[in-house]
Amino acid sequence: MLSIRNVRVRYGPIEALHDISLEVNEGEVVTLIGSNGAGKTTTLGAVSGLLPLAGGQIHFDGHDITSLAPHKRVPLGLIQVPEGRRIFGTMTVAENLDLGAYARTDRANLRNELDEIYALFPRLAERRNQAAGTMSGGEQQMLAVGRALMSRPKLLLLDEPSLGLAPLLVKEIFAVVKRIRAKGVTVLLVEQNAHKALEVADRAYVLETGHISMTGDAKTLANDPRIKAAYLGA
Amino acid sequence: MRPSSLPFPLVFAWRVFIFFVVVRALMGVQGTTLFAGKHPIINPYYQNILINAGIAIILAVSLNLINGITGQFSLGHAGFMAVGAYISAYFSKEIGGVLFAQLIALISVHISKQLGTLLLTFQQPILFTIAILVGALAAGAAGFLVGLPSLRLRGDYLAIVTLGFNQIIVSLIRNWKAVGEASGYIGIPKFTTFAWVFALAIACIWSIRNLASSALGREMRAVRDDEIAAEASGINTTRVKVVAFVYSAMWAGVAGALQAHYIQYANPNDFTFLRSVEVVVSVVLGGLGSITGSALSAAGLTVLQEVLRDVPGAFYTSVALVGLAAYWNFVRVKSEQSGSKSMLRAFVVPFFALIAICLCYWSPQVNAVLERVFPRLDLPDLRAALESSKGALRYVIYSVILIVVMLLRPQGLLGRREWSLAALQRGRRVGKGVEGNLA
């Protein structure tokens, strides 16, 4: 469904991604793990179009999206939940969700989508008229995910969903990832919490300073001694 | 849109208008117009203030679209205003009249003489409408040009670019022979009347309010709240920002056209950075993002300008200011701690400020008493000093107002709230305004 070939990304003169290639198949949960500064968020930025490429190609669902503007990638079914939640703080929860459906043309089915999301996140339903910026971090993260789901994506790019959340909420967020997958949405998950990420994912890529150093089945990687030593703290 | 959800200034303005119409009808004074003639209801001095206030309202409300609602920072509003003023003035002075005369001649000869004479009687409003449109379009084109770099720049950098744009426009005008270069453009026909300004101010508030609560307005607020998230949600942030710049610049152009055709003179010095800052001040003072706030503070600052011309006016303003500051300070202290001691402390500074103001105001009398007791003292007459400074005093009080507001109410007078008349009638201010009405 998503294939990234030989992608390079530069921040000014510094190359952050050197020649990255990866595949995400339909229905999978794929995770990108790696330490700080390895290029995980940069990879997602390249896929969603927020960062320009210095080389390589990206194909999504049969389209070449290498040089497509970000707002034109969303209608194709590709959406990113940016790192650090980034909800629209002065707007209400309902307005935030509405903006998630911004790129959709089939406005008629919106009602069902909204009900589904409220069913997925009951807290959002309770707070639908509250200003989004006044909610807790966990609720904001739920809102960010809900907002992305409103665009009815085929592929969801999740960037550090557990960032800054309490352990209980981290558990809840990963349960949500499983439920999203059950709905048939493909997920590309970037996570620092490698342990949890490998638990929910089918396959994983390990990023190290802008290279993919390892790849494989998530269960196998979780038992790999090198991964255990470097990322799982065992 | 339900009438009760119309913004407060709009409904208020409408009621004032109705009031004048009714008064006029009751008085039964002979005359064809409401505000001109032998016995206008509003005397020319107050009309002058109201016209200036109307122009200030158009400027502030339109700038609020960029600075408050879309969250970009423009410091070049006077530049757009200058484009509108000069282009529309050039049109109505050099092009419009000739073109219109030829058109009338053509119509009278080829179509019908009656239509020609009919058009001739409406020459002034037709010409002015076209002039305003031309000015607005030119300013909108300038807004498009400035909007383009804003796609790449954020915050301070954008502010500097817009400031630079303002300077460029002023420099261009200073070197443009056809419009009098640095000595100003004279002989612009007097088209602007109170009614024009009033109608256009209402149109401005109405259209920007509607834009802000439309889908496009929500996109603008999304860009303000978080540009990256907006982009990731599929919003074309480029388009949103350019639309905001163009639309806002068009209204600034309208304000410029109104001003040029009111004072019948345009000088590049009227459109410098200082004028832009004045507009920014009223937007920030009223509350970034609040249309009601922009309109109220723009009108308030214009009135203040007049009030501050004399010393008693400055005195009463200062006293009111201290009262307002004391109230805010009281509210703040009350929310932080309780107890009568802290309450007392909340009023210490305002109390001394009040005494200082009174000492200045009555300084001749105070000096006389003090000099009788201590004959050696040679006290300065503060009141005389203030009186001789005349208009300059207002800049001091402007600054004090800004400092006080920014210290005690950093979100501006209204924050992001809007007042609607319906809410006022229910006896409470509706919390969220534009935001709230959409939910």
Side-chain angles (χ1 to χ4, degrees):
Chain A
M1 173 179 254
L2 175 76
S3 95
I4 302 177
R5 251 173 276 141
N6 310 103
V7 159
R8 296 164 180 280
V9 174
R10 279 205 194 97
Y11 293 107
I14 297 155
E15 195 169 271
L17 290 185
H18 327 285
D19 211 1
I20 295 267
S21 298
L22 60 84
E23 295 278 335
V24 179
N25 301 317
E26 193 156 358
E28 272 188 321
V29 174
V30 174
T31 182
L32 271 176
I33 55 176
S35 54
N36 280 340
K40 305 181 301 275
T41 298
T42 307
T43 310
L44 283 199
V47 175
S48 63
L50 294 180
L51 296 171
L53 299 190
Q57 281 125 34
I58 302 177
H59 288 265
F60 173 72
D61 209 21
H63 303 271
D64 181 359
I65 59 166
T66 310
S67 50
L68 204 64
H71 64 269
K72 290 183 180 153
R73 300 190 192 198
V74 177
L76 296 179
L78 182 72
I79 194 137
Q80 180 178 17
V81 180
E83 184 177 5
R85 306 187 269 277
R86 294 189 172 271
I87 43 112
F88 304 120
T90 62
M91 297 188 208
T92 65
V93 169
E95 281 181 288
N96 266 274
L97 291 175
D98 242 18
L99 271 165
Y102 170 76
R104 276 178 51 178
T105 44
D106 57 328
R107 316 278 307 179
N109 302 324
L110 236 52
R111 201 65 248 171
N112 302 332
E113 213 76 53
L114 203 61
D115 290 340
E116 253 179 64
I117 281 158
Y118 283 145
L120 196 62
F121 307 108
R123 288 307 286 273
L124 296 186
E126 284 167 34
R127 299 178 175 238
R128 67 180 78 190
N129 290 324
Q130 185 175 332
T134 62
M135 299 197 301
S136 77
E139 287 160 350
Q140 289 186 16
Q141 183 66 58
M142 304 287 173
L143 178 59
V145 175
R147 184 181 64 193
L149 288 177
M150 283 296 285
S151 71
R152 199 190 279 165
K154 292 176 188 150
L155 174 63
L156 184 69
L157 308 170
L158 263 179
D159 198 353
E160 300 278 7
S162 74
L163 187 78
L165 297 186
L168 256 178
L169 283 169
V170 172
K171 223 173 176 178
E172 207 177 321
I173 276 284
F174 281 102
V176 164
V177 174
K178 282 182 192 161
R179 268 180 280 165
I180 291 170
R181 187 246 193 97
K183 283 176 54 156
V185 179
T186 313
V187 179
L188 178 57
L189 172 68
V190 158
E191 207 22 268
Q192 292 235 4
N193 189 338
H195 192 75
K196 283 278 181 195
L198 290 174
E199 213 176 278
V200 296
D202 301 302
R203 288 192 304 116
Y205 289 87
V206 182
L207 267 176
E208 239 169 70
T209 58
H211 295 283
I212 287 179
S213 61
M214 281 169 112
T215 172
D217 188 68
K219 300 248 154 38
T220 332
L221 278 182
N223 291 319
D224 190 292
R226 284 168 295 171
I227 299 289
K228 272 188 172 169
Y231 302 111
L232 302 180
Chain B
M1 182 183 270
R2 284 171 298 123
S4 61
S5 68
L6 285 170
F8 169 66
L10 208 139
V11 180
F12 182 72
W14 176 245
R15 301 222 167 156
V16 170
F17 180 70
I18 296 289
F19 172 77
F20 283 131
V21 171
V22 170
V23 169
R24 184 82 201 181
L26 289 177
M27 281 165 70
V29 180
Q30 293 293 312
T32 47
T33 53
L34 195 56
F35 304 105
K38 227 174 182 180
H39 307 282
I41 289 170
I42 308 175
N43 81 34
Y45 174 64
Y46 289 122
Q47 269 193 49
N48 172 50
I49 297 176
L50 285 172
I51 286 175
N52 287 336
I55 292 170
I57 285 174
I58 295 177
L59 285 170
V61 169
S62 61
L63 184 68
N64 202 356
L65 189 67
I66 300 178
N67 284 24
I69 292 165
T70 318
Q72 308 299 302
F73 198 93
S74 169
L75 262 179
H77 220 50
F80 300 129
M81 193 187 174
V83 172
Y86 271 90
I87 298 291
S88 69
Y90 188 79
F91 175 83
S92 44
K93 193 187 165 196
E94 320 281 351
I95 307 169
V98 183
L99 217 68
F100 198 78
Q102 282 175 349
L103 192 74
I104 296 282
L106 274 177
I107 288 176
S108 305
V109 173
H110 293 288
I111 302 172
S112 90
K113 207 154 189 179
Q114 278 95 339
L115 186 64
T117 24
L118 187 72
L119 280 176
L120 208 57
T121 46
F122 290 109
Q123 178 176 14
Q124 190 169 319
I126 292 174
L127 270 183
F128 194 28
T129 308
I130 300 173
I132 289 175
L133 280 177
V134 168
L137 287 178
F144 182 73
L145 280 180
V146 182
L148 286 178
S150 84
L151 318 175
R152 305 188 147 270
L153 301 172
R154 278 166 206 189
D156 310 348
Y157 304 104
L158 178 62
I160 290 166
V161 166
T162 51
L163 173 61
F165 159 78
N166 197 339
Q167 295 298 93
I168 289 169
I169 290 290
V170 170
S171 303
L172 282 178
I173 294 170
R174 279 194 183 130
N175 292 290
W176 187 8
K177 276 223 169 62
V179 294
E181 297 178 312
S183 53
Y185 195 29
I186 51 168
I188 304 168
K190 177 150 191 153
F191 286 160
T192 304
T193 60
F194 177 70
W196 276 99
V197 176
F198 188 84
L200 284 170
I202 284 190
C204 176
I205 293 173
W206 182 70
S207 73
I208 286 184
R209 148 89 190 196
N210 271 6
L211 181 65
S213 48
S214 71
L216 189 60
R218 189 181 297 181
E219 286 166 49
M220 287 172 177
R221 280 178 288 131
V223 170
R224 172 187 75 194
D225 281 3
D226 196 315
E227 201 172 327
I228 290 178
E231 210 172 353
S233 301
I235 290 170
N236 187 347
T237 53
T238 304
R239 189 181 65 103
V240 168
K241 285 194 269 182
V242 170
V243 168
F245 258 98
V246 170
Y247 199 67
S248 174
M250 281 177 74
W251 277 109
V254 170
L258 286 172
Q259 184 180 300
H261 290 85
Y262 176 57
I263 51 180
Q264 294 176 269
Y265 172 67
N267 190 300
N269 293 336
D270 294 340
F271 304 106
T272 54
F273 166 64
L274 275 176
R275 185 73 200 250
S276 292
V277 171
E278 245 171 59
V279 185
V280 172
V281 164
S282 45
V283 171
V284 173
L285 200 65
L288 277 167
S290 169
I291 293 168
T292 317
S294 295
L296 287 181
S297 72
L301 285 180
T302 312
V303 172
L304 208 58
Q305 217 168 341
E306 294 301 320
V307 171
L308 292 183
R309 275 184 205 284
D310 61 352
V311 168
F315 171 70
Y316 293 124
T317 310
S318 308
V319 171
L321 198 63
V322 167
L324 199 64
Y327 171 70
W328 281 335
N329 202 19
F330 172 72
V331 170
R332 202 177 51 119
V333 169
K334 198 175 161 192
S335 66
E336 278 167 8
Q337 52 205 179
S338 56
S340 53
K341 226 177 190 175
S342 58
M343 288 296 146
L344 232 142
R345 211 177 304 149
F347 288 107
V348 169
V349 175
F351 178 71
F352 283 110
L354 200 64
I355 288 184
I357 292 168
C358 291
L359 281 180
C360 287
Y361 187 64
W362 282 295
S363 78
Q365 288 87 337
V366 174
N367 287 357
V369 172
L370 282 179
E371 275 163 8
R372 197 173 298 156
V373 182
F374 308 102
R376 291 273 188 81
L377 278 179
D378 184 19
L379 294 163
D381 187 346
L382 292 170
R383 183 172 174 148
L386 289 179
E387 232 145 39
S388 65
S389 72
K390 291 274 176 204
L393 197 60
R394 78 185 152 101
Y395 289 109
V396 177
I397 294 191
Y398 261 33
S399 330
V400 173
I401 290 176
L402 258 189
I403 293 170
V404 168
V405 170
M406 287 304 110
L407 278 178
L408 297 174
R409 258 190 94 78
Q411 71 271 47
L413 293 174
L414 288 190
R416 275 181 184 144
R417 288 179 302 187
E418 303 286 353
W419 284 355
S420 73
L421 204 66
L424 284 182
Q425 279 166 346
R426 280 199 304 272
R428 69 191 178 88
R429 294 162 197 175
V430 159
K432 290 178 217 129
V434 174
E435 275 96 339
N437 286 337
L438 285 167

